[in-house]
Amino acid sequence: MKDKKTVYITRKNKFNTLYDKQKRIANLISIFRFATFIGGCIFSFFISRKMNSYIFTLISFLLWITLFLFLAKIHEKLIKNKNLVERIIHINEKGINRIEGKWRSFGEDGEDYIDEDHSFSGDLDLFGLSSLFQYINCTNTFMGKTKFKSTLENPSYSEDEIMKRQEAIKELGSNIGWRQRFEGEGVLKEDKQGHVDRLLKWCVDKKDLYSKNYIKTLTTSIPLFTIVFIILSFLMGGLYYYGALFFIFISIVALFNDKKKRNYALQTVFLYKKYIESYYNMISLIEKEKFRSEYLVSLKERIVENEGEKASTAIKELMNISQSISDRGNFFYVIFNILFLLDYKHMIKLEMWKKKWGKHLEEWLKVIGEFESLSSIAILSFENPDWTTPTIQKEKLIIRGKKVGHPLLGDRAVKNDFSIGEGEKILLITGSNMSGKSTFLRTTGINLLLAYIGAPVCAEEFTCSLMDIYTCMRISDNLERNISSFYGELLRINKLIEGVKTKKPIFFLLDEIFKGTNSVDRHTGAKILINKLSKEKVLGLVSTHDLELGSLEEHNSKVKNYHFKEYYENNQIHFDYKLRKGVSTTRNALYLMKIAGIEVEEG
């Protein structure tokens, strides 16, 4: 991982140098622009006074204004490139922080995606503070975040799809330059569902009025007659003056017709001008890259239509229209709008665009989102070359891992070997407080999830079968819903039972089962549930303080005992977090109470 930190540092320094260079050039161009403007004004004034010729004055004016606009164009491009470089610098800084274990300070943690009713996301720390989402998320678009969330919550890929995703993630992981450029181009502020929904709704909301031939004819002919009569009124006066006024009046009436709906449509495109430009840049990057893996190639094909036209061509066209519409905020636009019916011309162009491309935009945005999601997962592949690509077992239910650690703990992760499914179906994990039982359950669950989405897992070897995941770990009282922790636990157990009834393969994690009730009921309920589950198409881990449950192994060959233990040194308690066979023989609750300053009288 240190080598990867060096890569990030090297790239950061490289782009810092580039940023400083671009900043100097941009400042220099800005000075040239100002000098050109002042010099052009002075020169034009000088020409008009000395030459006393409108032609020479006009030529000089056109020359310096052309140079000024040329420099403005170059300056705008430099600013955009400088901003992109700045974003890539930030991306590399995030990479350094992630490797140094400082990723918990990343601003976006997916807290809005927390779902207490989900079958496993809360217990496996997929969203929220110190979550997998916070650790690797590099999505920026709404579609990207949605796709990444869906991938983590619903890993419903087949064995074949997982294998294809593994290759895709490896390829993206090794292509850090493309990934960072793609992420840098996608940095958008407030790309939210409402915004995307409005844009997609606009794409399929046809305004038939602007597709009619007579509207296209009138939009061309009325401005033509208006300009002709204006010219003739200056040259000949008389009735031509009234003719010009008549056609101007017609234009004004036309602009008031359907004004509200037209403004809404035009404002929609204008509001999303920067998003459309970002989508164009991201799609262009996808189109230009020559991907090798089948999964990425098939994704890329989704942004090329049957006619062979590229999505970037369509987005570029929409971007150009949106740039034209942005002039509507200009004071002089009102005059030109009356003369040339610009709003109508924009609407006609947009309707032509929607007719040809509108139905495809949502699909293109989904492809962008899929690439963002895969790029986020590819961070694991790039930064953890020592992690393994899991093997999916089709023939039987099994999980087998060698040196498996928790992916979010970094160097602090203690790694364990274990297997389940080769005879036993349920591992009963005992151990004292703080010994590592819950962490081990989460370690198994989150690595299983990573395997299901095509990611590498934090292990030296890992083999697993495809199963639906159910957990019951973090259950607390919910005052808003008037649900006690014990009832909440029962609801989660009921979900598991309902899942079992579907006869689908299931993997479950139960932490301190039935802890919300008395010891007798807890022991009886846990024993009945474990025995029942052991007869079904399931694998699972159950942690418990109830050491008496260890006797289940004697009567049920599908249950095996494992435990974690503590040791004492210099009157202090220590844990090695290593998984061992058998039932725990130690307890530390009284000792921990003494450490906390609570006097305990034994006897």
Side-chain angles (χ1 to χ4, degrees), residues 220-472:
T220 302
S221 59
I222 291 176
L224 179 61
F225 283 119
T226 302
I227 298 301
V228 168
F229 273 91
I230 289 175
I231 294 173
L232 290 175
S233 67
F234 274 102
L235 296 176
M236 304 178 69
L239 294 174
Y240 294 110
Y241 173 76
Y242 294 104
L245 289 178
F246 172 76
F247 282 106
I248 289 174
F249 175 75
I250 293 297
S251 294
I252 293 173
V253 172
L255 288 172
F256 272 98
N257 178 54
D258 201 37
K259 180 181 178 181
K260 187 175 182 180
K261 291 181 180 179
R262 187 170 57 252
N263 282 344
Y264 183 83
L266 294 174
Q267 285 171 4
T268 297
V269 179
F270 170 69
L271 285 173
Y272 299 109
K273 174 186 171 184
K274 61 180 179 179
Y275 299 111
I276 294 168
E277 183 175 358
S278 185
Y279 297 149
Y280 166 74
N281 292 333
M282 297 175 84
I283 284 177
S284 294
L285 283 173
I286 295 171
E287 289 178 345
K288 293 174 183 177
E289 188 66 18
K290 295 181 179 179
F291 298 108
R292 302 184 307 276
S293 62
E294 183 180 346
Y295 198 83
L296 297 181
V297 170
S298 64
L299 275 177
K300 181 178 176 179
E301 289 174 350
R302 286 165 56 185
I303 58 174
V304 178
E305 295 309 307
N306 295 329
E307 297 83 2
E309 294 190 73
K310 296 179 179 179
S312 61
T313 303
I315 300 295
K316 178 73 171 179
E317 185 180 332
L318 182 61
M319 187 172 71
N320 291 336
I321 298 173
S322 69
Q323 288 173 343
S324 299
I325 292 173
S326 64
D327 293 333
R328 295 180 85 235
N330 191 311
F331 172 77
F332 294 103
Y333 182 88
V334 176
I335 299 172
F336 286 101
N337 195 20
I338 293 172
L339 292 177
F340 299 104
L341 293 176
L342 296 181
D343 279 0
Y344 274 78
K345 292 183 183 297
H346 292 323
M347 287 297 294
I348 289 170
K349 287 181 180 179
L350 288 175
E351 288 306 307
M352 290 174 64
W353 189 93
K354 285 195 284 186
K355 185 176 181 180
K356 186 175 182 180
W357 304 108
K359 62 183 178 182
H360 303 297
L361 183 61
E362 183 173 7
E363 177 69 7
W364 297 337
L365 298 188
K366 285 181 178 179
V367 171
I368 290 175
E370 181 71 87
F371 268 97
E372 284 188 293
S373 177
L374 289 168
S375 294
S376 295
I377 300 168
I379 289 173
L380 296 175
S381 176
F382 172 75
E383 294 183 359
N384 302 281
D386 56 328
W387 288 15
T388 190
T389 300
T391 301
I392 305 299
Q393 173 65 254
K394 299 180 182 180
E395 284 73 25
K396 59 180 179 178
L397 293 189
I398 189 173
I399 302 176
R400 183 172 58 245
K402 183 178 181 181
K403 294 186 178 179
V404 182
H406 199 296
L408 301 184
L409 294 180
D411 295 336
R412 296 183 294 115
V414 176
K415 299 183 177 182
N416 283 289
D417 300 347
F418 75 98
S419 67
I420 179 172
E422 297 175 309
E424 70 284 347
K425 285 187 173 183
I426 299 174
L427 301 187
L428 191 64
I429 315 295
T430 53
S432 55
N433 297 288
M434 301 167 57
S435 60
K437 300 187 301 298
S438 299
T439 299
F440 177 69
L441 265 62
R442 293 191 178 93
T443 296
T444 306
I446 195 169
N447 277 298
L448 197 63
L449 172 69
L450 291 177
Y452 291 169
I453 63 177
V457 300
C458 183
E460 188 174 295
E461 295 177 10
F462 199 84
T463 301
C464 62
S465 306
L466 294 184
M467 298 170 279
D468 290 344
I469 302 174
Y470 287 83
T471 65
C472 182

